[in-house]
Amino acid sequence: MISTDKPLKEHKNFILDFVTKRYHGFLEKILNKSKLTVVAGFSVVAVLILFGGSLGTEFLPELDEGSIFLRSFMPSGITIQENAKIAPLIRQTISKYPPVNYVITQTGRNDDGTDPFPTNRTEILVGLKDYKLWSDTITKKELVKKVQDDLQQRFPGAFFSSGQPIIDQVMEIVTGSAADLAISVVGEDLQLMRAKADSIALLVKKMDGAVSVNIEQEGMQAQLAVNINRENAARFGINIRDIQQMIEAAIGGKVISTLYEGTKRYDIVARFLPENRNSINALQNLQVPSANGALIPMSQLADIRFVEGQTNIYRINSKRMVTVRTNIRGRDQGGFVQEISEKINKNVKIPEGYSVIYGGQYENLERAGKQLALTIPLTIVMVFTFLFMLFKHFKYTLITMSCVLFALAGGIIALYIRGYHFNVSGGVGFVSIFGISVMAGVLLVSAINRERGMDDTLLKGNILNASVNQLSALLSILVVAIVGLVPAATSTGIGSDVQRPLATVIIGGLSSTLIFAPLLIPPLYFWMNKPGKKAENVAKSE
């Protein structure tokens, strides 16, 4: 049997004892000037919160997926064969950079037709080596810029845009554009809309932070138009259908039968030889049999010419649209959209029946902003409700809720110092710290209520003793949480772009709570319960 007669030793923490002693002396002084302390302290908190007005807004920070996704836009009208000849040259140009691991290109639309791209587009996936294998002389942003500049110099008639493969594909599916901002002119007259889009593109190119500015839809290109002369066809006794089938078979090919080989099926297509269909003259000389057996040249039956026509037509809500796309670098999306919308309203006259809408990632920002505008106030209301159920007194609930202001101020300053914009990740961080920071207030107010009891004669001493006794608990809760999130706030690996703003907000909010709560809640409590007033019933809390 183990003897328990030996007394237990109490271990002292010299650092904690030093902090506690200093805190005791400082708190004793500010309690004597509680009103001045509260006014000055909350004024500082209010000033820190005002820094939130200088924070920009964005949906998500720029993600680093460990790869690069480029798009090549060759002049409209280029054939798939000619564009395919350029793809190896693009791969050769990119592959010469040491950080590049592999390059994959895809020209035109994909096999299943989910990407309805014309023949002049090429998607380029650039796989990168592990960052540990890179030299210290170049960053990923510098690599992307060098690759784009190199490609633009080698192919002067083309346009190249850059992005990330996963986020670009997702954004294209969700919003119709992979760009950070898509400014769409919606209406019916494509020529008018194209002119307005060109004017908007010029405004966007002059703005700070705009990169890879272009119009999503390619411009006009030469198209072969065949207008059948019905009177001449009737004069020769030729059906319109016969002329159409002749043109279809000559240019595109006509399925005339099907060949089955086991479970496989092959269409048999009749098509003219290239020398009989590769020019307008060749098509005009096609012979169409008439009712009496005479062969009539196609030139006497139809007007065949090249005309300028639309390459592709995009629609939204049953209306046509022309989109100006741009990526935003070095500034926030919300401020960028506000500035460009003011310039469009001032410099571009949009006719009645037409409209300008803003999409891309900014569309997600608007959607997320509306959700956060509901979530954050709801969180505050729920915290207030639970605190009121705990204290059963509005005064002490309000004192405890002041920790929300402390956390808000700290989170804003942390984002401001690190140069981050307010985004969805930061918004989630604010929702988290509103609940965590209130624990500091609960510890202090509950301890003061227990120490005070029903006796107000020694209110100042009770507040002082309770606050000093709870200091170690506050330090344990908040410091451990702050230190635990430091790796997340300073990480630089792939995928860390989203977690850094969240961790930054929580660290900043808890740090400010750790500073302001022990210094402002006791004076605020003392000021709102000054001796000499009628004693109030105090709800004891566990």
Side-chain angles (χ1 to χ4, degrees):
M1 183 176 179
I2 301 175
S3 175
T4 58
D5 295 337
K6 187 177 180 179
L8 298 175
K9 291 183 179 180
E10 182 179 357
H11 296 279
K12 296 290 185 178
N13 188 311
F14 297 103
I15 298 177
L16 183 61
D17 290 344
F18 175 79
V19 173
T20 303
K21 183 178 179 180
R22 295 293 182 183
Y23 175 66
H24 183 281
F26 186 72
L27 182 60
E28 189 174 10
K29 293 180 181 179
I30 62 177
L31 283 176
N32 294 326
K33 300 179 180 180
S34 58
K35 183 177 180 180
L36 178 62
T37 301
V38 170
V39 173
F42 278 90
S43 298
V44 172
V45 172
V47 171
L48 296 180
I49 293 176
L50 291 178
F51 275 90
S54 61
L55 293 178
T57 56
E58 62 183 0
F59 176 58
L60 284 175
E62 185 180 354
L63 303 177
D64 182 9
E65 301 174 15
S67 57
I68 304 172
F69 192 66
L70 300 171
R71 280 190 170 93
S72 166
F73 299 80
M74 292 295 168
S76 58
I78 188 173
T79 63
I80 190 70
Q81 293 82 6
E82 290 299 320
N83 199 8
K85 294 178 182 179
I86 300 175
L89 301 178
I90 293 176
R91 294 195 296 268
Q92 181 184 11
T93 303
I94 300 174
S95 299
K96 69 180 182 181
Y97 291 92
V100 174
N101 190 21
Y102 61 85
V103 182
I104 301 174
T105 58
Q106 175 184 291
T107 302
R109 71 178 65 183
N110 55 8
D111 293 335
D112 55 11
T114 54
D115 291 334
F117 295 148
T119 58
N120 68 320
R121 291 200 191 185
T122 300
E123 291 186 338
I124 310 160
L125 176 61
V126 183
L128 303 177
K129 297 177 182 177
D130 193 292
Y131 291 154
K132 297 178 181 179
L133 303 177
W134 288 33
S135 63
D136 297 334
T137 59
I138 190 171
T139 63
K140 184 181 177 182
K141 290 184 178 180
E142 292 173 344
L143 175 64
V144 172
K145 188 177 186 306
K146 284 187 176 182
V147 169
Q148 277 191 267
D149 292 343
D150 199 355
L151 291 172
Q152 202 71 58
Q153 185 176 2
R154 186 166 185 180
F155 307 100
F159 174 81
F160 295 89
S161 64
S162 64
Q164 302 280 339
I166 298 176
I167 189 65
D168 280 11
Q169 297 294 332
V170 172
M171 293 303 302
E172 197 164 42
I173 293 173
V174 175
T175 66
S177 177
D180 294 338
L181 176 63
I183 308 173
S184 300
V185 182
V186 180
E188 295 297 336
D189 189 342
L190 284 175
Q191 292 185 351
L192 173 63
M193 293 159 57
R194 184 80 186 192
K196 300 300 180 183
D198 288 335
S199 301
I200 293 174
L202 290 176
L203 294 175
V204 175
K205 289 179 180 179
K206 296 178 182 179
M207 292 184 58
D208 294 334
V211 296
S212 301
V213 182
N214 72 319
I215 296 181
E216 187 85 30
Q217 295 83 1
E218 283 77 10
M220 307 282 282
Q221 71 174 26
Q223 299 178 0
L224 184 65
V226 179
N227 296 316
I228 299 176
N229 190 321
R230 295 178 177 270
E231 294 182 358
N232 287 351
R235 185 179 299 112
F236 291 109
I238 300 175
N239 291 328
I240 302 299
R241 181 181 179 184
D242 294 335
I243 301 175
Q244 292 174 337
Q245 288 180 345
M246 175 69 72
I247 296 172
E248 180 183 358
I251 300 175
K254 180 72 173 178
V255 178
I256 58 176
S257 184
T258 303
L259 173 65
Y260 292 92
E261 185 178 328
T263 58
K264 298 179 181 180
R265 171 180 172 176
Y266 304 95
D267 289 334
I268 301 175
V269 179
R271 192 181 186 189
F272 280 32
L273 295 174
E275 58 268 19
N276 295 325
R277 55 179 169 83
N278 57 5
S279 66
I280 290 182
N281 291 333
L283 295 178
Q284 290 175 340
N285 293 329
L286 292 178
Q287 304 294 314
V288 182
S290 63
N292 58 9
L295 296 177
I296 310 300
M298 185 69 72
S299 58
Q300 298 185 28
L301 301 174
D303 179 23
I304 304 176
R305 66 175 67 179
F306 282 114
V307 297
E308 292 292 322
Q310 297 295 332
T311 306
N312 44 21
I313 299 176
Y314 285 60
R315 292 183 179 273
I316 180 172
N317 297 330
S318 301
K319 289 188 176 182
R320 294 175 174 179
M321 103 177 146
V322 178
T323 302
V324 178
R325 51 172 289 165
T326 179
N327 290 328
I328 303 172
R329 299 290 182 267
R331 62 179 300 183
D332 65 299
Q333 296 173 2
F336 188 95
V337 173
Q338 182 178 0
E339 181 180 348
I340 189 59
S341 62
E342 292 176 355
K343 290 186 175 181
I344 291 174
N345 293 334
K346 181 180 179 180
N347 299 293
V348 181
K349 184 179 180 181
I350 305 299
E352 186 177 354
Y354 294 79
S355 61
V356 177
I357 61 176
Y358 301 90
Q361 287 204 39
Y362 177 75
E363 184 179 349
N364 287 334
L365 172 62
E366 283 190 313
R367 189 182 302 112
K370 293 178 181 178
Q371 293 176 348
L372 287 175
L374 175 64
T375 303
I376 293 178
L378 182 61
T379 301
I380 296 176
V381 171
M382 292 179 64
V383 171
F384 184 90
T385 302
F386 284 115
L387 289 176
F388 189 81
M389 293 170 61
L390 174 65
F391 294 114
K392 297 181 175 62
H393 201 290
F394 180 79
K395 182 190 299 183
Y396 304 119
T397 302
L398 195 62
I399 294 174
T400 308
M401 283 294 296
S402 63
C403 289
V404 172
L405 297 178
F406 305 153
L408 178 62
I412 290 174
I413 289 300
L415 289 176
Y416 182 83
I417 291 175
R418 299 202 68 183
Y420 291 157
H421 303 304
F422 178 80
N423 50 43
V424 175
S425 179
V428 174
F430 279 110
V431 173
S432 302
I433 59 172
F434 287 163
I436 300 174
S437 63
V438 167
M439 291 192 301
V442 172
L443 285 174
L444 287 172
V445 175
S446 299
I448 295 172
N449 286 343
R450 289 194 301 268
E451 186 79 18
R452 173 187 174 190
M454 295 296 296
D455 187 8
D456 281 343
T457 58
L458 301 174
L459 178 61
K460 186 183 296 184
N462 292 334
I463 293 176
L464 184 62
N465 293 333
S467 301
V468 172
N469 291 335
Q470 292 300 315
L471 182 63
S472 59
L474 285 176
L475 291 173
S476 301
I477 293 174
L478 299 180
V479 171
V480 170
I482 292 171
V483 173
L485 284 169
V486 169
T490 57
S491 60
T492 57
I494 296 176
S496 62
D497 307 86
V498 176
Q499 71 183 21
R500 282 200 301 268
L502 185 146
T504 298
V505 167
I506 296 179
I507 289 175
L510 296 184
S511 298
S512 60
T513 302
L514 182 61
I515 295 172
F516 289 115
L519 298 179
L520 292 184
I521 287 184
L524 179 62
Y525 190 103
F526 180 69
W527 184 35
M528 298 182 70
N529 295 273
K530 287 184 178 180
K533 292 184 178 181
K534 185 178 179 180
E536 298 173 335
N537 294 326
V538 179
K540 295 184 178 181
S541 58
E542 295 290 329

